[in-house]
Amino acid sequence: VSLESHDPVVRHAFGKHYGNEPMERTIADALAIGAKRLDVFFMSGLPQQTAESVLGTIDYCEDLLRRFGKDGRLAPFVSPLAPFLDPGSRGYESPDEHGYILHARTLEEHRRLLVAPSWKYVLNYETRWMNRNQLVDATYAAGRRLNALKAEYGLIPAAQAEATARR
């Protein structure tokens, strides 16, 4: 399940028009009828999303784990909308309207990004709300916090969480 963001305003700006309550009912229902695992995906780098909002997503993940994740079947994930805004997508075709700033348009420009030394420079976009540095910093901060939560709730072994945190 891809919720995109915990924040309905951000989710709506990304073109998804549903609230948290129906999704939480879906999570509860899926687990109640015996889903063996339910992955819930969140993203960073969305329209109207700030670094604080990205971290708020991890607070929401903690709430979901507290409510639905005690048995280890609920697995939240967070990652950037990466590496590219897809050509043909609304954000790519109308970046100004959606708050994106594109750094590549042509195939050659995208090819050059793919050989950059860091995923920060591979991104073909940033937003009006987060530049590349902020997006990367927020994504890493969210990833570190989510990694610790996953260890706390037994979704990953402590040694794996420690190795990920060191990396």
Side-chain angles (χ1 to χ4, degrees):
V1 176
S2 187
L3 297 183
E4 322 307 348
S5 171
H6 76 290
D7 183 342
V9 172
V10 171
R11 194 180 311 122
H12 183 84
F14 192 61
K16 307 293 180 163
H17 305 282
Y18 48 83
N20 290 348
E21 297 79 14
M23 293 310 300
E24 291 166 10
R25 269 196 314 278
T26 298
I27 290 168
D29 290 347
L31 295 172
I33 63 168
K36 302 252 186 264
R37 180 177 164 129
L38 184 60
D39 294 345
V40 182
F41 296 94
F42 297 95
M43 295 175 11
S44 57
L46 300 176
Q48 296 192 25
Q49 189 180 51
T50 63
E52 294 79 22
S53 178
V54 174
L55 296 177
T57 295
I58 306 309
D59 295 337
Y60 184 67
C61 288
E62 184 172 17
D63 180 58
L64 291 177
L65 287 169
R66 190 174 22 259
R67 292 167 56 203
F68 306 114
K70 291 184 175 54
D71 63 6
R73 294 183 294 152
L74 182 71
F77 296 88
V78 64
S79 65
L81 177 61
F84 303 141
L85 283 181
D86 296 329
S89 69
R90 294 178 323 140
Y92 183 89
E93 297 302 325
S94 302
D96 292 339
E97 181 181 331
H98 299 284
Y100 289 109
I101 301 157
L102 294 181
H103 297 290
R105 280 279 189 183
T106 68
L107 183 59
E108 176 58 22
E109 289 169 340
H110 282 89
R111 187 200 65 76
R112 275 189 252 137
L113 292 179
L114 284 171
V115 297
S118 164
W119 70 269
K120 172 169 76 173
Y121 303 108
V122 173
L123 293 173
N124 74 343
Y125 72 96
E126 56 190 14
T127 74
R128 282 197 303 254
W129 303 273
M130 286 194 289
N131 63 36
R132 278 179 171 163
N133 290 328
Q134 293 166 319
L135 201 159
V136 168
D137 290 347
T139 300
Y140 277 130
R144 283 190 297 275
R145 285 188 52 207
L146 188 56
N147 182 55
L149 277 175
K150 286 182 171 188
E152 179 181 334
Y153 280 86
L155 299 174
I156 57 174
Q160 180 183 341
E162 290 170 19
T164 298
R166 279 193 306 275
R167 222 182 23 257

